[in-house]
Amino acid sequence: MMNLLRAEPAYRRLLFASLLSGIGDWFNSVALLSLLLHLTGSSLSVGVALAVRTFPYLVMGPLGGILADRLHRKTILVFADFSRFFIALSLLRVNSVSQVWIAYVATAGLVVFSALFSPARTAVIPQLVHPQHLAVANALEQSLGGLVMAFGAGLGGLISACFGFDTAFAINAISFLASGFICGSINLPSSPNRGRGSFEGLEKKRQRTHSQASSRSFWFVFRQSRLIQLVSVQAILWAIGGGAVNTLLSVYGYQVFRSGNWGVGVLYGALGIGFLASGFIASRLVKRLRIITAAAYLFEGICHVAVSLSPVLWGAALFLSFATMSAGIGNAVTTTLLMREAPTVFHGRIFSLLGTISSVVISLSMLATGFLLVVVPARTIGFWAGSFMAFTSLVTGFALVMMKDTAMNPHRASIWRYA
C-alpha cells in the first residue's frame, strides 16, 4: 500500500480528499441519527431517515453512472462536493420536532449529490492508478472506508455528546468544502476513459477493439457478463438483510444497550475497524478470489447473528468488526474482479447500477425495519437479518465458485480482451 501511495500522487490526493469528507460524513451520520432519536423518541424516525438517504439513488444512481462515463469526472467530483457543502449547512437549523423535516430534505439532497460523486470517483481510479496497482488500490479503498468510519463515527459520537450536534454538522460541511478544493487540484486527463488503466497507447488492433466495445450498449455488456449478473443478484439479496442491520445499529447503541450517543459511536467505530482491517488482508489475497468472496460474505452473515445475541455492547462491537472485516474483503475482491472484467468505458454505469440496486433495496429494508421495530424486538430482527444474509451468501457464493473462468460468449470475447 505504501508503494502504491508513493507511486501514484494523483490517487494519493483523491484518497486524502475522501478521508476528509468521509470523516465529516460520519460525524453527520452519528449526530443526525442521535438527534432524531433525541427529538422524536421513536425508532421509526431512524428508519425513515436511513430510507431517505437511499431512495434518491433510484433516479440519481443510473444518471450518475451515465454522467461519469460521458463527462469529465473531475468536474463531477468538484461540483458534487461544493453542492454538499451548502446542503450540509442546512442541518444547523434542526432544533425541534417541527423542524425534523429539514433533516429529511437535507439528507435526501446530500444523497443526490453523493449519487453523482460515487460512480465518478470509483470510475476514475483506473485512470489514476497503474493496472498493476489496481488490486491494492481497491483493498486500500476498504481500509480508507474503515478508517473514516472508525475515526469519524467514534469521534463523531464523542463530539456530539460533548459539544452538541451543531458542531458535528458544521465539521461535516467544512469537510466537503476541503474535499472539493483537493479534487480540483488533481491532474486528470481532460476526457474520460483515457487513463493508464484504459486503452490509450495500444496498437491499432486494440484501438479497433476499444471502439467496438464503446459502440456496444451497456445492456449488451450486462448480458454478456455472468459475473456482473451474479454480483447484481448478490447486491439485491444482501441489501435486504443489510438494510435491517444498518437500521439496528443506532437502536442497539441508543436503546438496547442504553449507551446513548457513545454506544452509537462505539458500534459505528467497530464497523470502521473491521473495514480498516479488511483492506490490509485483501491486499495480500491474489489467488482463489471467488472462493474468498463467497466465504467472506457467508461469515459476515454469521457474525451479524452473533451481534444480535450478544448480551453486552462490547461483545456486539467485536462481532460487528468481524462482520465488516469479512464484508470489506468481499467488496474489495469483487470490485477488482469487475474492474478486470469490464472495459473502463463502462465502469461508471456498472458501479452505479450496483450502487443503485443495493441502495434502493436497502432503503426499502430500512423503512420496513423501522415499522417492524414498533412491534418486534431489535434482537429478533437482527437474528433473522443475519441468518438471511448467511443463507443467501451461501447460495450466491456457490454459484460464483462454480462459474466458468470466462462467462463471455467466446465469439464476442475480443470485445473484452484488452479491458
Side-chain angles (χ1 to χ4, degrees), residues 353-407:
L353 171 68
L354 297 176
T356 300
I357 289 174
S358 60
S359 295
V360 171
V361 178
I362 281 176
S363 68
L364 295 174
S365 177
M366 287 176 172
L367 190 58
T369 302
F371 284 106
L372 284 175
L373 283 169
V374 178
V375 294
V376 180
R379 291 184 182 276
T380 302
I381 297 175
F383 176 85
W384 288 110
S387 299
F388 181 79
M389 294 171 71
F391 175 75
T392 55
S393 296
L394 182 64
V395 175
T396 56
F398 178 78
L400 179 65
V401 172
M402 298 303 295
M403 187 176 67
K404 295 180 180 179
D405 289 337
T406 174

Side-chain angles (χ1 to χ4, degrees), residues 302-320:
I302 294 173
C303 287
H304 281 302
V305 172
V307 170
S308 71
L309 300 176
S310 176
V312 295
L313 174 65
W314 293 105
L318 178 63
F319 285 116
L320 196 58

Side-chain angles (χ1 to χ4, degrees), residues 225-247:
S225 174
R226 296 293 182 268
L227 176 63
I228 299 176
Q229 295 170 11
L230 187 56
V231 172
S232 299
V233 172
Q234 168 68 10
I236 295 173
L237 297 177
W238 179 93
I240 295 174
V245 167
N246 287 339
T247 306

Side-chain angles (χ1 to χ4, degrees), residues 4 6 9 32 93 95 114-115 148 196 202-204 253 259 271 275 293 350 352 356-357 372 378 413:
L4 165 68
R6 283 193 295 265
L32 179 61
R93 302 189 59 184
N95 298 304
S114 293
V148 300
R196 288 174 294 174
L202 298 179
E203 65 268 27
K204 292 182 179 181
S259 300
L271 286 180
F275 278 122
T293 301
I350 289 171
S352 70
T356 300
I357 289 174
L372 284 175

